[in-house]
Amino acid sequence: MTADTRVRDLIRWFGDPADPANPVGRAALLAADEQGEPSAAGEWLLDEYGFGAEFVPVELGGRFTQLDDLVRVAREVFRRDVGLGLGYGITSFMASVNVWAAGTPQQRKQLAGLLLDGGKVSVGYHELAHGNDFLRNEFTADRTPGGYRLNGTKEVVNNADRAGAWVLFARTDPAPGARSHSVLLTGPEDCADGAVTFLPRYPTTGVRGCRLTGLDFRDCEIPAGALVGTEGQGAELALRSFQVTRSALPGMAVGTLDTCLRTVLGFALGRRLYRRRVLDLPHAASVLTGAFADLLLCDSLALAAARAVHLLPGQSSVTGAAVKYLVPKLLTRTANDLSVILGARFYVREGEHALFGKHLRDLPVLSLGHAGPTACLATLIPQLPRLARNPGPPAPDALFTPGGPLTPGIPYDHLTVTADGDALTGVLEESSAPNDPYVQTLLGQLSRELNVVRKALLALPPAERTPLAGPASFRLADRYVHFMAAAAALGVWRAAADDFLADPAWLATALHRTATRLSLRPAPPPAEHTARLHAELLRRHDENRSFDLYDLCLNG
Ligand SMILES: Cc1cc2nc3c(=O)[nH]c(=O)nc-3n(C[C@H](O)[C@H](O)[C@H](O)COP(=O)(O)OP(=O)(O)OC[C@H]3O[C@@H](n4cnc5c(N)ncnc54)[C@H](O)[C@@H]3O)c2cc1C
């Protein structure tokens, strides 16, 4: 089944969001969130659809072939409810990649069976005492004659109390360092009564339907067959798995901003003030077209990052950290900009616009969870000076082709902890620019500034090239990621076959917004570009089509 078919199926299964009688419509999803529970109807739908198969490689009976397809399919869930997307499935994906990457055939088969049967798998990486500094984790797995003895607590684990299996990051050696941890695949069936306790659920501000609990192990004996990969391989395995999951998660949430934009545009079309529609107020129109351009910019970087895992796996440590840093941040910021148009309504927790408020509460969790924004920049900082000196050849068009076929499966063995190049930013300098004077001027400005940033990176003293660097290094890394996003948008324009994506209008606004964020004070985009973007925004709204790179009909 192609990704297109799966996406269309999910759209049909979810039905009309505005129908008050739809058990997975807007009203029902909001009601579940208000009660702080996962949507029972939403989970039933995903069980029936067999959503768990999306995470299982085809050779193990699932539907996973390429990461950008998984992003598209999961986007349909995130379009409706971030809590359902994260809570139902995505932590199963985060957990399972460790096993697909290094598990034995038996472990892979066992986990595939669990997910294909609708089961869930939780992942316990973090401990509250150590956060992102997970090499300091204290949860232990001590060798015993029959396997391992687990002791310690994993405090914030999604679905811990209802998962059929847990992937745990545990200390197998008391010595400090990167070889002291291992990954274990275990579950409730391995543990004797009383050896593991579920901690009470955490109440949260957003994603209230996620079941965030914890696991407390006391002398819990598990078999030796639980070890995934080799002893001491845990940190390396986690870092490789993070590259896959960080490259995918932000793109899923593009569907959440799509709903925010649709909601606010619908309001702006219907609401009249000063004897005209809100949409006809220049400020409102510019916020809406700007949000559309940001959404396309985010989707461009998300697409490039997901496809890089297949095409440029040696660079995924950089593209994965970049997309995980920037896309959740931009999606949240853009949703905040849109809230201004909705005015007081976005604060109301019932009625037509309440889902917007829920999305606004839920989006920040995508920045916080898995790896915070600062931790993502800290991954980039040690690598950027080397990449500034030698970024390597620019990315091929295949990186930017939505839905373009790829060799199935993730090349886990080619994912490396440090990147061998940065093919993305190379696109900014080496691509043929659109035959459009405004875009050419902007690209010139961006390329010059990229060189300034590269020189500054090369001049950083050794102490400023570590994760413990000062704010100046973090500012440089932040600027660098914006160039990566601009390059991804240029790449998508360059590779586009579709009339709208091949037109420079959206690119002009996306680059303008990037240059503004970089304080380059660019001239505003020409009126004809803004008008083209505005017309496309209205067309997609009128025809109920998605605002992302896929221009997909949402009628089912
Ligand atoms: C909804 C949700 C679900 C979750 N589910 C799970 C789960 O299923 N399994 C699991 O294991 N965990 C889970 N977590 C836990 C979470 O992902 C981790 O706790 C988190 O990634 C660690 O980040 P922290 O916010 O605790 O930050 P800390 O590591 O405590 O960092 C605090 C601050 O210090 C700064 N900082 C951190 N590192 C650096 C650095 N290198 N350089 C400079 N500054 C730095 C940053 O400003 C950061 O915000 C979940 C969290 C949430 C919100």
Side-chain angles (χ1 to χ4, degrees):
M1 225 190 327
T2 65
D4 250 13
T5 312
R6 279 138 62 202
V7 167
R8 283 177 215 288
D9 282 352
L10 261 186
I11 291 173
R12 208 173 46 252
W13 284 47
F14 269 108
D16 178 4
D19 178 358
N22 180 354
V24 286
R26 234 171 13 217
L29 291 174
L30 272 165
D33 185 67
E34 284 294 325
Q35 285 161 14
E37 286 303 327
S39 153
E43 296 210 334
W44 179 86
L45 181 151
L46 294 175
D47 279 343
E48 290 295 300
Y49 173 83
F51 197 67
E54 296 295 333
F55 313 134
V56 178
V58 271
E59 68 273 16
L60 292 167
R63 297 196 280 258
F64 183 90
T65 53
Q66 59 189 70
L67 205 56
D68 53 334
D69 283 353
L70 171 62
V71 170
R72 280 192 67 194
V73 175
R75 187 174 288 181
E76 291 316 312
V77 186
F78 279 78
R79 184 187 298 291
R80 282 136 186 109
D81 187 353
V82 179
L84 191 58
L86 270 183
Y88 181 91
I90 293 310
T91 43
S92 288
F93 166 59
M94 289 181 189
S96 63
V97 288
N98 290 280
V99 179
W100 312 143
T104 61
Q106 175 57 27
Q107 286 171 327
R108 289 157 54 87
K109 195 167 159 228
Q110 176 201 337
L111 194 63
L114 185 126
L115 289 169
L116 294 174
D117 282 349
K120 292 182 175 51
V121 48
S122 288
V123 63
Y125 282 123
H126 302 99
E127 291 166 29
L128 281 186
H130 304 287
N132 289 298
D133 187 10
F134 66 86
L135 288 185
R136 304 274 180 284
N137 279 357
E138 295 164 64
F139 183 90
T140 53
D142 294 321
R143 273 279 201 156
T144 61
Y148 293 93
R149 183 181 301 116
L150 304 182
N151 271 299
T153 310
K154 296 284 180 185
E155 294 97 342
V156 192
V157 178
N158 195 24
N159 291 327
D161 57 347
R162 58 175 184 160
W166 307 308
V167 170
L168 301 171
F169 184 82
R171 180 174 285 282
T172 40
D173 184 338
R179 303 290 307 168
S180 299
H181 293 86
S182 306
V183 170
L184 300 160
L185 171 65
T186 183
E189 285 174 10
D190 286 342
C191 305
D193 283 352
V196 57
T197 313
F198 300 123
L199 302 180
R201 222 181 126 188
Y202 285 90
T204 51
T205 306
V207 292
R208 281 183 261 171
C210 277
R211 292 187 62 86
L212 288 183
T213 60
L215 295 167
D216 184 53
F217 293 84
R218 289 289 164 249
D219 292 326
C220 177
E221 309 276 348
I222 59 167
L227 181 69
V228 178
T230 55
E231 238 179 55
Q233 202 193 353
E236 178 223 315
L237 190 51
L239 290 178
R240 280 198 282 146
S241 302
F242 286 167
Q243 290 178 31
V244 178
T245 49
R246 289 175 186 172
S247 299
L249 181 62
M252 298 174 185
V254 168
T256 313
L257 183 65
D258 192 304
T259 299
C260 291
L261 178 54
R262 195 169 306 279
T263 309
V264 176
L265 181 54
F267 166 76
L269 281 161
R271 173 85 168 158
R272 291 189 76 79
L273 288 173
Y274 314 105
R275 293 162 61 194
R276 65 183 91 177
R277 299 178 306 180
V278 165
L279 178 69
D280 300 323
L281 301 171
H283 173 260
S286 126
V287 169
L288 287 159
T289 48
F292 184 25
D294 279 347
L295 192 151
L296 291 166
L297 180 80
C298 287
D299 204 10
S300 301
L301 185 58
L303 177 75
R307 292 176 69 80
V309 169
H310 298 264
L311 293 167
L312 301 164
Q315 301 189 9
S316 284
S317 66
V318 164
T319 44
V323 74
K324 180 67 180 67
Y325 168 71
L326 190 63
V327 168
K329 194 167 128 156
L330 280 188
L331 296 177
T332 305
R333 190 180 291 178
T334 309
N336 268 308
D337 291 348
L338 286 168
S339 72
V340 173
I341 313 281
L342 213 46
R345 276 149 217 85
F346 98 82
Y347 222 61
V348 177
R349 282 165 74 154
E350 55 185 26
E352 201 187 335
H353 305 110
L355 191 65
F356 180 92
K358 172 172 146 42
H359 280 352
L360 201 63
R361 289 192 296 278
D362 289 350
L363 273 170
V365 98
L366 299 164
S367 263
L368 289 173
H370 199 17
T374 328
C376 289
L377 291 185
T379 307
L380 293 173
I381 286 169
Q383 308 202 52
L384 292 183
R386 195 170 31 78
L387 299 177
R389 178 171 298 111
N390 182 15
D397 276 358
L399 197 71
F400 309 108
T401 311
L406 295 167
T407 307
I410 289 178
Y412 289 102
D413 291 343
H414 293 95
L415 296 168
T416 51
V417 174
T418 50
D420 59 15
D422 169 24
L424 256 187
T425 49
V427 173
L428 265 188
E429 291 161 317
E430 311 230 352
S431 251
S432 55
N435 188 14
D436 178 287
Y438 177 77
V439 175
Q440 282 174 356
T441 306
L442 266 184
L443 285 174
Q445 255 181 306
L446 286 166
S447 295
R448 280 192 297 281
E449 186 59 20
L450 171 59
N451 277 324
V452 171
V453 168
R454 282 189 175 143
K455 279 192 186 126
L457 285 165
L458 287 169
L460 285 176
E464 285 300 312
R465 299 176 177 204
T466 74
L468 302 180
S473 294
F474 279 86
R475 265 196 303 277
L476 285 174
D478 165 82
R479 292 177 82 72
Y480 196 90
V481 175
H482 283 282
F483 295 117
M484 293 175 78
L490 179 62
V492 167
W493 167 84
R494 189 183 75 183
D498 163 291
D499 276 356
F500 171 70
L501 291 179
D503 186 302
W506 73 275
L507 180 64
T509 309
L511 295 182
H512 172 262
R513 289 176 75 79
T514 301
T516 305
R517 288 186 190 107
L518 290 166
S519 309
L520 299 182
R521 306 173 68 170
E528 68 267 22
H529 285 345
T530 311
R532 173 83 173 92
L533 198 58
H534 191 79
E536 178 72 4
L537 178 70
L538 291 182
R539 178 190 74 77
R540 293 195 189 193
H541 181 268
D542 290 350
E543 297 175 12
N544 199 24
R545 300 185 79 84
S546 66
F547 297 122
D548 58 11
L549 297 177
Y550 299 89
D551 185 15
L552 183 79
C553 177
L554 299 176
N555 290 333

